[in-house]
Amino acid sequence: MKNIKSKRKDTQVIHAGTNPDKTYGSVAPPIYQTSTFKFDSAEQGAKRFLGEEPGYIYTRLGNPTTSTLQEAIATLENGTSALATASGMAAVSTIYMTFLEAGAHIIGSEAIYGPSRVVIENEFSRFGVEYDFIDTSDIEQVKKAVKPNTKLIFIETPANPTIKLTDIKACAEIAHNNGAVLAIDNTFMSPILQNPFDYDADIIMHSMTKYINGHTDVVGGILVFNNDELMQRTRKVLHNHGGTIDPSQAWLVLRGLRTLSLRVNKAQENAQVIANYLEQHPKVKWVRYPGLKSHPHHELAKQQMKGFGSMISFEVEGGIEGGKTVMNNVELATLAVSLGGFETLIQHPASMTHSSMNKQDRSNAGITDGLIRISIGCEDAQDLQDDLEQCLNKI
Ligand code: LCS
């Protein structure tokens, strides 16, 4: 579609990404389920490898179905290009592999999806990468953590699972004053609710497994750029180490993407209702949701986010035992990890998504043993509230 960049998000989500089917005019994008592409001549093959002629070569290096998805997400994030990956973690690892080397230093948010931190601590450290995972919601801590060898600042805002917020623009300034790159995991917001390029971030990453696909049936990730030099560096690394998405996987994500705006808006309406309900409940000790005035970063949320999202964390009376009572009694919500699907999912980070982090690091990051994380879905809000009510009454 012409001028898609000038359209609003609700239109972009439906139309962004060019339909590559020139043969039959199929309205749904075709799945180009092929590993390789025929050259018309040896000369043409050689030119494609040299980058002197456009066209596909081999699916690890690019595929029309994948390109449609990449174009759509790049548009939605106000970026210029994107690289889709086999999973969110493939996207995270690709950033690390591209921008870190022996002797380089990374600053990361201490509360972050467990493996995004653990892969640095356990694996990249073996290759001589130095790291500091700190409370990036405190900008003074970020300033203090910067070293001459800091190459990458990697933040998650809102953070998984503490729902703490980090000031993207302030981090971008710190990164750029020190010649470092700011990458941000935007999974919790999706491109509908937060567009970090508007706040000078350099790279945006999503686990597409979550809101972007939204149907709890596919794993995938993506990196978005608004700078060709950073994209080209990353592309070479991704294509050589091979964390590319498969065309069928890309197609499923594209199908889910088209309802992203509807899903995100309905889920966040529900989340505000549930957060308000939990906050006044006598069995609930505390609730973290950016849409609550009690959230310490509520003002920042209003500035850099277009909505408060649908991720809530809370703790009930009775610590871990109270939490288990809630999780073992849900009837409408599903006890499962992952998030951002059309259905409500509830889980326990300390024993599940963040169990790979060591206990002390979890505790420092505010991931208490009693913390329960809920990803609010698109059900009826009253039914969700009734479900939580019957669980809380059992504590
Ligand atoms: N970033 C965030 C913020 C995530 O929540 C996850 C997965 C990832 C990256 C990794 O993406 P994946 O490779 O799984 O596509 N988060 C999960 C969670 O909270 N529960 O299960 C998976």
Side-chain angles (χ1 to χ4, degrees):
M1 168 179 273
K2 277 189 199 156
N3 298 329
I4 188 73
K5 286 190 194 316
S6 67
K7 300 284 188 274
R8 293 168 183 83
K9 293 293 164 214
D10 284 2
T11 303
Q12 289 180 344
V13 88
I14 308 283
H15 292 288
T18 313
N19 184 340
D21 182 29
K22 305 269 187 303
T23 314
Y24 298 110
S26 154
V27 173
I31 310 177
Y32 286 92
Q33 195 64 50
T34 183
S35 59
T36 195
F37 296 81
K38 179 178 176 293
F39 305 128
D40 289 339
S41 64
E43 290 76 14
Q44 184 187 53
K47 279 187 178 164
R48 287 202 183 161
F49 270 91
L50 285 169
E52 290 173 358
E53 185 192 292
Y56 295 97
I57 296 172
Y58 180 63
T59 281
R60 175 160 47 75
L61 314 178
N63 175 287
T65 311
T66 305
S67 297
T68 306
L69 174 63
Q70 292 175 162
E71 196 181 318
I73 306 290
T75 303
L76 279 165
E77 279 292 18
N78 307 332
T80 49
S81 59
L83 297 167
T85 57
S87 66
M89 283 315 301
V92 173
S93 301
T94 300
I95 302 176
Y96 292 165
M97 218 180 288
T98 307
F99 297 98
L100 299 172
E101 68 274 326
H105 175 245
I106 172 177
I107 298 172
S109 305
E110 61 182 353
I112 196 169
Y113 177 56
S116 297
R117 174 172 177 160
V118 170
V119 76
I120 290 284
E121 292 172 337
N122 292 358
E123 317 307 338
F124 281 82
S125 64
R126 295 188 288 116
F127 304 107
V129 169
E130 297 169 20
Y131 55 86
D132 277 301
F133 287 96
I134 57 163
D135 183 359
T136 53
S137 73
D138 176 357
I139 285 301
E140 292 309 311
Q141 283 198 36
V142 182
K143 284 184 190 155
K144 278 191 201 128
V146 173
K147 298 185 190 174
N149 57 342
T150 304
K151 295 287 176 67
L152 181 64
I153 301 182
F154 185 81
I155 61 173
E156 216 177 82
T157 178
N160 186 355
T162 56
I163 323 289
K164 275 188 179 180
L165 267 52
T166 293
D167 185 329
I168 302 169
K169 203 169 172 59
C171 280
E173 202 180 314
I174 297 169
H176 298 158
N177 285 342
N178 291 279
V181 166
L182 174 68
I184 161 159
D185 184 335
N186 204 27
T187 300
F188 269 34
M189 288 280 90
S190 90
I192 300 297
L193 298 182
Q194 181 168 269
N195 299 118
F197 289 147
D198 297 351
Y199 302 96
D200 301 338
D202 299 302
I203 302 172
I204 300 170
M205 173 261 150
H206 287 275
S207 164
M208 297 194 295
T209 317
K210 312 299 172 351
Y211 291 98
I212 290 179
N213 175 60
H215 289 71
T216 323
D217 52 10
V218 66
V219 169
I222 199 154
L223 296 170
V224 193
F225 303 85
N226 62 358
N227 170 314
D228 195 52
E229 196 258 329
L230 295 184
M231 189 280 281
Q232 293 298 352
R233 274 171 73 185
T234 311
R235 188 179 62 88
K236 282 185 198 141
V237 173
L238 175 66
H239 289 174
N240 287 334
H241 89 72
T244 320
I245 200 166
D246 180 78
S248 295
Q249 211 182 340
W251 187 88
L252 275 170
V253 177
L254 262 172
R255 190 171 68 165
L257 170 72
R258 301 309 182 186
T259 55
L260 177 66
S261 189
L262 292 168
R263 289 184 281 103
V264 161
N265 284 308
K266 170 70 175 156
Q268 78 170 347
E269 263 173 43
N270 285 351
Q272 186 72 54
V273 172
I274 298 300
N276 293 344
Y277 157 76
L278 288 171
E279 191 164 51
Q280 54 72 47
H281 199 287
K283 295 279 173 61
V284 176
K285 278 169 69 177
W286 55 261
V287 188
R288 277 283 172 274
Y289 178 65
L292 291 176
K293 289 203 176 68
S294 59
H295 191 294
H297 312 132
H298 180 62
E299 289 307 314
L300 178 61
K302 287 199 280 187
Q303 279 167 35
Q304 73 181 17
M305 290 153 56
K306 295 173 183 162
F308 302 121
S310 46
M311 296 301 298
I312 302 175
S313 64
F314 65 104
E315 186 163 338
V316 294
E317 296 295 341
I320 180 69
E321 284 312 312
K324 277 188 192 160
T325 304
V326 173
M327 288 182 287
N328 285 333
N329 284 288
V330 284
E331 289 171 3
L332 186 54
T334 301
L335 176 57
V337 297
S338 201
L339 59 106
F342 55 76
E343 72 287 81
T344 297
L345 301 178
I346 191 165
Q347 67 109 8
H348 178 233
S351 68
M352 297 173 188
T353 47
H354 293 70
S355 58
S356 57
M357 274 170 74
N358 84 48
K359 195 171 160 49
Q360 190 57 48
D361 289 340
R362 269 204 312 271
S363 156
N364 292 345
I367 308 170
T368 57
D369 282 350
L371 185 152
I372 299 172
R373 190 190 77 185
I374 187 160
S375 166
I376 299 290
C378 301
E379 298 91 340
D380 182 276
Q382 186 62 50
D383 286 336
L384 287 172
Q385 186 172 314
D386 292 349
D387 192 27
L388 288 170
E389 177 73 11
Q390 59 86 18
C391 296
L392 291 168
N393 284 342
K394 294 194 170 82
I395 295 174

